[in-house]
Amino acid sequence: MGKFNFRLQKLLDLKFQKEEQSKIVFKKAQEEKLQVEEKLNLLNDNYRKYSETMMFGTVIEQKITHNYLNSLVSCIDETKIELYKKNEMLEQKRKELVEKQIERKTVETLKEKQKDKFELETKLVEQKFNDELALYGYIRKLERG
């Protein structure tokens, strides 16, 4: 009895490695997006906090707060653009990951089909051998008996 040998095992291993690398890249892109979201939330919180306090204080304090709020608005706009880019990049990485998974699963399915075929052929050979042994035993029994 032979052992099942998948001739495309190296290809399957390579597809698996590429999928794992793609998972790592996707996770990194996800983390970067979350960092940008946190930054945007922090900026929005600061804007709300200082816009409420702008009404109080001296004219100079109000002017400083106004300038700070303008700066925050600018940062918020830039962060929104950055978040949009990170979302696009994340979606691209997601598509790449799905593509790599499909490629791996395709080769894996081929392996499973070949393994099933090998096992069926092995069972047929075993069954034929057992049938022949039984037939020889029967013939010997007839000759003796």
Side-chain angles (χ1 to χ4, degrees):
M1 244 64 51
K3 181 183 155 202
F4 176 69
N5 183 21
F6 185 55
R7 287 188 268 157
L8 298 175
Q9 186 62 44
K10 287 184 180 178
L11 177 65
L12 181 60
D13 293 342
L14 183 66
K15 298 286 184 189
F16 183 76
Q17 285 177 339
K18 289 190 177 198
E19 180 185 348
E20 290 302 311
Q21 289 172 348
S22 186
K23 284 180 183 178
I24 291 169
V25 169
F26 175 74
K27 182 119 176 101
K28 184 180 177 196
Q30 219 173 13
E31 289 171 358
E32 289 175 2
K33 178 190 168 246
L34 287 174
Q35 287 175 350
V36 172
E37 284 177 341
E38 288 174 9
K39 179 181 174 183
L40 181 61
N41 288 337
L42 181 66
L43 290 171
N44 281 328
D45 289 344
N46 281 342
Y47 182 83
R48 275 191 292 283
K49 182 172 103 176
Y50 285 101
S51 65
E52 292 170 0
T53 62
M54 186 177 159
M55 295 177 234
F56 307 106
T58 65
V59 175
I60 295 174
E61 289 173 342
Q62 288 180 359
K63 181 91 171 154
I64 292 172
T65 305
H66 180 71
N67 287 338
Y68 179 67
L69 289 175
N70 286 340
S71 174
L72 279 176
V73 167
S74 175
C75 287
I76 288 171
D77 291 342
E78 290 173 9
T79 306
K80 283 180 180 178
I81 292 169
E82 185 180 358
L83 181 61
Y84 177 78
K85 289 178 183 178
K86 295 291 181 184
N87 277 329
E88 284 184 340
M89 187 174 75
L90 183 65
E91 195 55 37
Q92 176 190 359
K93 299 300 178 191
R94 182 186 324 273
K95 287 178 183 176
E96 289 174 10
L97 176 59
V98 168
E99 185 179 304
K100 301 274 190 243
Q101 288 174 332
I102 289 171
E103 290 174 2
R104 178 193 50 85
K105 286 179 183 178
T106 302
V107 178
E108 216 167 56
T109 302
L110 181 62
K111 178 182 179 179
E112 290 300 317
K113 286 182 180 180
Q114 286 183 6
K115 186 175 183 180
D116 290 345
K117 182 180 176 185
F118 174 80
E119 288 173 353
L120 179 64
E121 289 172 357
T122 303
K123 286 179 184 178
L124 290 175
V125 168
E126 284 179 19
Q127 185 63 44
K128 184 178 177 183
F129 180 74
N130 290 339
D131 290 347
E132 287 177 3
L133 284 179
L135 181 62
Y136 291 137
Y138 178 73
I139 291 173
R140 261 190 272 154
K141 189 176 184 181
L142 283 179
E143 289 176 353
R144 291 183 190 166

